[in-house]
Amino acid sequence: MEEHTFEKGLSIMKKFILNHIYTILVVLLLVSFTTYWVNQQSDPANQYKQVTIQHGDTVWSIATQYESSTSKQAEFVSWVEQNNSIDANNISPGQKLYIPVDIQLNGDLHLADAK
């Protein structure tokens, strides 16, 4: 009797899946797309510019390329230190750093929101 009940339950499950397959697929695709989009938005490579440190570069010299105000440069340096887990006075050529600069579709750069 238990086997008959199990088979009946399995049959009901198969009917449910067949009757709702399109809904199930749409939900799975929606969840997959949403997860992908959220991951893309949170990836620093999609929000900030990556620079490779050259000989003679300092975080301050990079800051002056993007900000003219000294107080904004200090914010920039602080952001770079915090988000790259570095000391601004201890960087090396070849090191890659993320800086708070958005790259626009037309190729223009501007300071990103450094939150």
Side-chain angles (χ1 to χ4, degrees), residues 71-109:
S71 63
K72 288 286 189 177
Q73 290 172 7
E75 274 183 54
F76 183 99
V77 170
S78 177
W79 187 97
V80 171
E81 285 181 315
Q82 182 178 5
N83 289 279
N84 290 279
S85 300
I86 63 157
D87 174 359
N89 298 316
N90 190 19
I91 59 172
S92 308
Q95 187 173 359
K96 296 186 184 317
L97 300 176
Y98 286 110
I99 60 172
V101 178
D102 278 334
I103 303 172
Q104 299 299 305
L105 292 177
N106 63 2
D108 290 342
L109 301 176

Side-chain angles (χ1 to χ4, degrees), residues 33-47:
F33 176 76
T34 302
T35 302
Y36 172 79
W37 184 79
V38 167
N39 286 337
Q40 287 296 99
Q41 296 303 311
S42 63
D43 183 1
N46 294 325
Q47 298 175 15

